[in-house]
């Protein structure tokens, strides 16, 4: 769930003739959403400390801005007049919900981390499929290896072995070879 800071009209301070500012410390990094309701169309900017100003986009009497935030920095809002309601939506923090942990099944509440791929076993299954003349089985094992660890030396060696097998056996073909070529050249 996203966190929100509410900047009331009392949070705004006069910063000169026709200029008002409000500031808030940012507890999290990432893209922020600034939402100001009841704001008359006037120039204003949301500025994260050290970042470039983010202009407000107007939709009726509501203004929106999406500046970049860094933790510990101060978000500075400038406006010609303070809006009656202003909210800053912060990025969500990853955590487990104690409420949902009691209701949801354990697998949903705390999903298990995926196991590391066993590339050696996949390579052995691919070699067995090639020896049996099952090109589709070999392609399937290589596809699993590419999806799990694309840049691993074992995966690259398996791709080279499959291409060498295809070069030695020109009649061993499958309609799925086009997908292999696309998978090998995709980055």
């Amino acid at each position: 769930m996203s966190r929100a800071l509410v900047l009331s009209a009392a949070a705004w301070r006069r910063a000169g003739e026709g200029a008002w500012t409000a500031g808030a410390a940012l507890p999290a990094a990432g893209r922020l959403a600034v939402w100001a309701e009841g704001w008359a169309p006037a120039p204003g900017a949301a500025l994260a400390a050290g970042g470039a100003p983010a202009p407000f986009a107007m939709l009726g009497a509501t203004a929106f801005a999406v500046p970049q935030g860094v933790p510990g920095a101060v978000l500075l809002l400038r406006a010609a007049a303070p809006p009656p309601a202003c909210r800053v939506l912060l990025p969500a923090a990853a955590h487990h919900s104690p409420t949902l942990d009691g209701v949801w099944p354990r697998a949903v509440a705390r999903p298990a981390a995926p196991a590391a791929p066993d590339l050696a076993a996949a390579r052995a299954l691919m070699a067995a499929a090639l020896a049996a003349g099952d090109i589709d089985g070999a392609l399937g094992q290589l596809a699993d290896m590419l999806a799990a660890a694309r840049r691993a030396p074992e995966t690259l060696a398996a791709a080279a072995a499959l291409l060498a097998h295809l070069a030695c056996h020109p009649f061993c073909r499958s309609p799925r070879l086009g997908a292999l070529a696309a998978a090998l050249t995709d980055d």
Side-chain angles (χ1 to χ4, degrees), residues 38-68:
W39 203 355
L47 176 67
F56 279 98
M58 299 300 300
L59 182 61
T62 303
F64 300 93
V66 185
Q68 184 70 28

Side-chain angles (χ1 to χ4, degrees), residues 19-81:
W20 292 78
T21 61
L26 300 177
R31 302 289 275 172
L32 309 171
V34 180
W35 175 16
E37 294 178 14
W39 203 355
L47 176 67
F56 279 98
M58 299 300 300
L59 182 61
T62 303
F64 300 93
V66 185
Q68 184 70 28
V70 293
V74 174
L75 176 72
L76 178 65
L77 300 171
R78 293 188 316 256

Side-chain angles (χ1 to χ4, degrees), residues 28-157:
R31 302 289 275 172
L32 309 171
V34 180
W35 175 16
E37 294 178 14
W39 203 355
L47 176 67
F56 279 98
M58 299 300 300
L59 182 61
T62 303
F64 300 93
V66 185
Q68 184 70 28
V70 293
V74 174
L75 176 72
L76 178 65
L77 300 171
R78 293 188 316 256
C86 183
R87 294 171 191 83
V88 179
L89 301 176
L90 304 168
H95 67 283
H96 293 290
S97 167
T99 305
L100 294 178
D101 281 351
V103 180
W104 284 9
R106 189 173 190 180
V108 175
R110 293 200 174 133
D118 188 2
L119 298 177
R123 172 72 190 267
L125 289 173
M126 187 189 90
L130 286 176
D134 181 15
I135 188 70
D136 289 334
L139 288 171
Q141 289 300 322
L142 182 59
D144 289 344
M145 292 175 74
L146 286 170
R150 181 183 235 2
R151 304 260 187 252
E154 296 89 356
T155 304
L156 298 176

